[in-house]
Amino acid sequence: MNKIYKKLRQNTKGQYYLLSFCVFLSVLLVTSFSLMYFGPTVQDFLPEGGDTRKMAVLLLGVTAVGCFVFTVYAFGLFFRFKAREYGILMALGTEKKQLKKLLFQELSTVTALSSLVGLLISVPVSFLIWKLFELFIISNEQMTYRFGATGFLPGILFAFVLACVLGIAGRRFINRSDIMEILRTQQKTEMVKEIKGWTFPVGVVLTVLGLLLGASVKEVSARVFGIGLPGVVNLFYLLSLAGIYLILLSAVAQSRARKNRSKYYGNLVSISLMRFTAKATTKNMCVMTLLIFVCGFSAFYGMQYILAGGGVQTKNSKDFSLHYPVLEDQIGKKEIYDTASSYSIAVTDFTEHTATNLVVSYNAKDFDEETSRYIEVYRDKEMAAIFVSESDFEKISGQDITVAPGTYQTITTTDYNNFYEYEDGLQEVMNPDTEKTYPLTYGGTIENDVLAPFSEPFAYVVNDEAYREMTEGVQDAYKERVISFNAVNAEDSYDFARALLEQYVEHATDLSNHMGNWNIWAQKISDETGKEYGYGDRIHMTIDNNMLLGDWKYAPAFNIITVQDRMQLISVYVMLCLYIFIISLAAVSVMAYVRSISVVEDNKGLFESLTKLGADHRYKRNVLKKQIARIVQYPGIIGCVLTFVFAFIMNFMNDGRINSVETKALTLLTVMLVGMGIALYTIYKYSLYKAEKIVK
């Protein structure tokens, strides 16, 4: 029996290679993913309980599910090939017990060896991928690859689950009592049902409607009706899933002679082959379409992070800007110039001014949990905001502005667009010490990326006379020093920026040791009323705290460091997205190949009959090409179009427009989808080549 089995393995070694490759690839991808995520570098970098960790764990789960899907699919093809062998052996009197023992021996060997190789190769693969990403980030000691043995645990667990599933599938395969069912496994067909003409248009409508409703209904509800909808509205996306199924079912199973009867009857064999397996083929194509969508969208998602990955580098910003309480003995002009000189950095456009926190009363929007609606609220003297004089703003920004008496101008970031805050919402201002109030009217908006991030909801500009009047008698505790400057050779200023940041953190005291959302007036009100202030916690202010610049109220904005820190975070996201891209593309490739080979194997008898009826090689090849082309072509086209449409809708619904970064991302996505199309065409050509060999 061992000799017989050896001979059988030699005749079907391609199936063993495919099964081994799928197990190896899935274990490799899951393990290398987890090695990077659970490695000390990423674990030290990501904050505990943060959204990034939650997303990474979710993507790890998606990775495992994707790998599991295409590996189980390979299991199915393997057993389809084994069905005839085992059916004949059982018909000849071989006991199931003997066959079961032989099957489990070879399955155990294949799974164990493939998993072991995958686990071992995952270490250099994760290292090489990490090194690849170091080309896109500013490499430093914090982002050095560090091996973490904990990452092997998900891979080992995944390999164990695969082995168990393969064992269960093998047991079910052997325990079939009906020999004829095993022998006819490759000859099963479905009942042919008529597919109505409305199937395709209804499918298109459902697909588009699902995408539009899923991506826009929450935003439209909030912006137009002021109603906040729960996450259950995401179920609208299921309409798209139903629509995709109907589109594919129509493409696969709907066939009528219509006007061009000669073309219909000329392709009757090819059309009928699809119709006899319409349900199974459609389900397979649906999964492939969704995997192509996941593949394209994950790449697009990571690409957007890269395109938007820089610091604030606009005409309204400066290379270096910082603010801190005037009472704090911080670094100033002398320290900055001395440090710049030691690093051969030329400082230009240096400005140093004082801004004042004044108590504001303004209109805003809030979300009412009880009614699930966005409501208009008037925040009366609840917090303070930064104000600067007209002349100081002109020196900081280099812009000439005119602020009329009794008015204010709202300072926003470049291209600011926020539905939930009103640029014209400020009504009056109060001096926090004299408690005098000053009514103001809206005088316009001005963009400046130096001052805007320093104050919530906005920073404001008033004319010089109004500023002197409103800030008269304000104690220094409410005042802040604002420093900004450029560097001639900013791209070479990282070491200088790092040294300056170390000095800044070293000089920081409890006066500036506050969380990012801390507000001096809100803290004062909470202390006076005896209530706990939600943003009153202190932070860990050391240069080794890699989340310092994101969590600190008085964190400096040094573009070169912002770029590096953001790129470190981006590198984590992009690596995760790249893995999803690789896994999805691998799953699509395996499923397309497996389905193509299944179609050929299931219809070998048909091609033999066509030969006996006089069909030449060209006719048979044409039938084969159409079958395999449809398996790859339909999911490829629908998946790519779906990806682009969803990406466009998602970006448009963010703020009601497509900005320059999103335009670049959509353009690159188009190029990427074309590349995916080329990859799918390559899979088609290889599947056709193997299929032609099978049917000779």
Side-chain angles (χ1 to χ4, degrees):
M1 184 59 69
N2 286 328
K3 291 181 180 180
I4 294 173
Y5 234 74
K6 183 178 179 181
K7 186 68 175 178
L8 291 174
R9 278 196 296 269
Q10 290 176 347
N11 290 337
T12 58
K13 58 184 178 182
Q15 300 310 310
Y16 288 91
Y17 289 152
L18 178 61
L19 181 62
S20 300
F21 174 75
C22 289
V23 173
F24 160 76
L25 182 63
S26 59
V27 173
L28 170 66
L29 291 173
V30 171
T31 309
S32 56
F33 185 107
S34 60
L35 279 174
M36 287 197 299
Y37 173 67
F38 289 107
T41 301
V42 174
Q43 289 298 305
D44 292 344
F45 180 75
L46 298 180
E48 290 288 343
D51 291 337
T52 309
R53 282 183 183 267
K54 294 176 183 177
M55 178 184 175
V57 172
L58 176 63
L59 290 180
L60 179 59
V62 172
T63 301
V65 170
C67 290
F68 182 80
V69 167
F70 76 76
T71 307
V72 169
Y73 206 77
F75 291 170
L77 181 64
F78 178 80
F79 287 122
R80 286 177 70 86
F81 273 89
K82 282 292 177 185
R84 189 167 182 82
E85 296 176 5
Y86 277 62
I88 293 172
L89 291 172
M90 291 171 66
L92 292 174
T94 308
E95 295 182 1
K96 288 185 179 181
K97 182 178 180 181
Q98 190 175 12
L99 290 175
K100 186 183 297 184
K101 180 180 178 181
L102 290 170
L103 179 63
F104 276 94
Q105 283 178 353
E106 64 178 8
L107 290 182
S108 300
T109 303
V110 168
T111 307
L113 288 177
S114 302
S115 299
L116 180 61
V117 174
L119 289 169
L120 295 176
I121 299 296
S122 64
V123 178
V125 167
S126 63
F127 175 77
L128 290 174
I129 292 177
W130 188 277
K131 286 299 179 183
L132 174 65
F133 276 96
E134 282 192 354
L135 299 176
F136 300 99
I137 63 175
I138 299 173
S139 182
N140 58 28
E141 293 181 0
Q142 282 186 319
M143 293 301 290
T144 302
Y145 179 85
R146 287 183 287 167
F147 175 77
T150 308
F152 277 120
L153 296 179
I156 294 171
L157 178 62
F158 180 78
F160 176 75
V161 171
L162 277 185
C164 291
V165 172
L166 185 56
I168 293 171
R171 183 182 180 85
R172 289 183 60 190
F173 172 72
I174 291 293
N175 284 342
R176 288 180 182 173
S177 57
D178 188 348
I179 295 176
M180 295 307 298
E181 181 185 350
I182 296 177
L183 289 173
R184 294 174 59 84
T185 297
Q186 296 176 321
Q187 301 172 5
K188 289 183 178 179
T189 58
E190 301 169 10
M191 292 294 293
V192 178
K193 297 180 180 179
E194 181 184 0
I195 304 300
K196 302 295 183 181
W198 53 260
T199 305
F200 181 80
V202 169
V204 172
V205 170
L206 286 177
T207 302
V208 175
L209 192 63
L211 289 178
L212 287 174
L213 291 177
S216 64
V217 69
K218 292 181 74 173
E219 286 292 327
V220 172
S221 175
R223 292 174 182 268
V224 178
F225 304 105
I227 300 175
L229 298 178
V232 71
V233 297
N234 291 324
L235 293 176
F236 279 122
Y237 286 121
L238 294 178
L239 293 175
S240 294
L241 186 60
I244 292 169
Y245 181 82
L246 291 178
I247 292 172
L248 289 170
L249 184 63
S250 175
V252 169
Q254 188 180 19
S255 55
R256 289 178 290 177
R258 297 182 180 176
K259 295 180 180 180
N260 196 342
R261 302 179 69 86
S262 60
K263 183 179 179 181
Y264 171 77
Y265 287 111
N267 293 286
L268 186 60
V269 174
S270 179
I271 292 170
S272 298
L273 278 178
M274 278 285 187
R275 295 184 71 195
F276 277 113
T277 57
K279 189 180 296 183
T281 302
T282 303
K283 289 178 181 178
N284 178 268
M285 287 182 173
C286 278
V287 175
M288 287 177 60
T289 301
L290 294 177
L291 286 172
I292 291 170
F293 169 76
V294 171
C295 184
F297 189 73
S298 62
F300 172 74
Y301 198 65
M303 183 172 55
Q304 278 196 309
Y305 273 104
I306 294 176
L307 293 175
V312 180
Q313 298 177 0
T314 68
K315 64 179 182 179
N316 301 312
S317 70
K318 288 189 178 180
D319 297 327
F320 298 84
S321 56
L322 54 152
H323 70 127
Y324 53 84
V326 297
L327 294 176
E328 189 168 71
D329 184 19
Q330 259 294 354
I331 60 174
K333 184 174 182 179
K334 181 179 183 304
E335 290 82 1
I336 291 172
Y337 272 86
D338 288 346
T339 306
S341 177
S342 64
Y343 284 91
S344 301
I345 299 295
V347 174
T348 62
D349 305 319
F350 183 91
T351 62
E352 181 175 354
H353 299 281
T354 300
T356 306
N357 283 285
L358 299 176
V359 183
V360 292
S361 298
Y362 60 97
N363 294 318
K365 281 190 176 181
D366 197 7
F367 184 71
D368 187 357
E369 298 285 350
E370 294 184 359
T371 61
S372 295
R373 299 182 69 91
Y374 289 95
I375 57 175
E376 303 286 337
V377 295
Y378 182 67
R379 302 195 183 282
D380 186 22
K381 302 180 182 63
E382 294 183 11
M383 61 190 303
I386 284 181
F387 283 77
V388 295
S389 66
E390 178 182 342
S391 59
D392 284 348
F393 179 82
E394 290 179 342
K395 293 174 184 176
I396 293 172
S397 65
Q399 305 175 57
D400 292 328
I401 63 171
T402 300
V403 184
T407 68
Y408 66 91
Q409 290 194 13
T410 305
I411 304 174
T412 67
T413 55
T414 302
D415 293 330
Y416 178 82
N417 187 0
N418 191 336
F419 163 70
Y420 302 100
E421 298 289 354
Y422 297 126
E423 293 97 316
D424 59 350
L426 182 63
Q427 301 298 311
E428 64 177 20
V429 179
M430 185 185 79
N431 184 307
D433 286 318
T434 65
E435 297 188 354
K436 290 183 180 179
T437 58
Y438 304 89
L440 293 173
T441 58
Y442 178 64
T445 299
I446 188 73
E447 295 179 344
N448 183 259
D449 293 316
V450 174
L451 290 167
F454 293 161
S455 179
E456 292 289 340
F458 299 103
Y460 302 96
V461 184
V462 293
N463 66 28
D464 291 358
E465 182 61 33
Y467 182 78
R468 281 192 294 270
E469 182 181 355
M470 288 190 297
T471 59
E472 185 178 358
V474 175
Q475 57 183 305
D476 287 345
Y478 290 97
K479 296 181 179 180
E480 296 182 9
R481 189 86 63 209
V482 179
I483 297 175
S484 63
F485 58 94
N486 287 318
V488 173
N489 42 350
E491 66 277 2
D492 300 322
S493 64
Y494 179 77
D495 292 336
F496 159 67
R498 190 71 182 176
L500 200 64
L501 177 61
E502 290 180 2
Q503 293 181 45
Y504 186 81
V505 173
E506 185 179 342
H507 282 76
T509 66
D510 280 345
L511 289 172
S512 61
N513 188 5
H514 300 291
M515 296 176 62
N517 291 323
W518 179 82
N519 186 274
I520 186 172
W521 183 255
Q523 178 76 71
K524 180 177 182 296
I525 296 299
S526 296
D527 292 342
E528 290 177 351
T529 57
K531 296 180 180 179
E532 183 179 357
Y533 182 47
Y535 299 109
D537 294 339
R538 303 288 180 167
I539 65 170
H540 184 50
M541 286 197 309
T542 67
I543 196 65
D544 296 325
N545 180 7
N546 50 30
M547 299 306 294
L548 181 68
L549 299 183
D551 294 339
W552 190 13
K553 167 73 174 179
Y554 293 100
F558 297 165
N559 276 341
I560 190 69
I561 292 182
T562 303
V563 169
Q564 175 224 321
D565 287 350
R566 181 166 175 79
M567 287 306 293
Q568 286 178 342
L569 182 61
I570 286 171
S571 66
V572 175
Y573 278 116
V574 172
M575 280 189 286
L576 301 181
C577 292
L578 175 68
Y579 264 81
I580 301 302
F581 174 81
I582 293 172
I583 289 161
S584 301
L585 190 59
V588 169
S589 302
V590 171
M591 293 186 71
Y593 173 76
V594 168
R595 187 63 189 174
S596 300
I597 300 303
S598 296
V599 169
V600 178
E601 287 291 338
D602 289 348
N603 295 284
K604 283 176 68 175
L606 173 68
F607 285 98
E608 292 174 0
S609 299
L610 288 174
T611 302
K612 294 175 182 178
L613 290 171
D616 58 11
H617 287 299
R618 189 176 70 171
Y619 180 82
K620 290 186 291 183
R621 189 173 190 273
N622 188 46
V623 171
L624 197 59
K625 282 178 64 176
K626 289 182 178 179
Q627 294 302 300
I628 297 176
R630 288 169 180 167
I631 291 172
V632 180
Q633 185 181 44
Y634 292 157
I637 293 174
I638 296 174
C640 290
V641 171
L642 199 66
T643 301
F644 186 87
V645 171
F646 181 74
F648 182 88
I649 293 174
M650 186 193 71
N651 282 338
F652 182 79
M653 292 310 303
N654 280 339
D655 51 13
R657 59 179 179 165
I658 301 294
N659 60 33
S660 58
V661 172
E662 291 166 344
T663 300
K664 290 179 183 178
L666 289 171
T667 303
L668 289 175
L669 175 63
T670 304
V671 175
M672 191 181 306
L673 293 176
V674 172
M676 288 174 57
I678 295 173
L680 291 173
Y681 179 76
T682 304
I683 295 166
Y684 154 71
K685 293 295 289 184
Y686 181 74
S687 300
L688 181 61
Y689 166 74
K690 297 295 288 185
E692 287 176 343
K693 291 185 67 176
I694 292 173
V695 298
K696 302 178 182 179

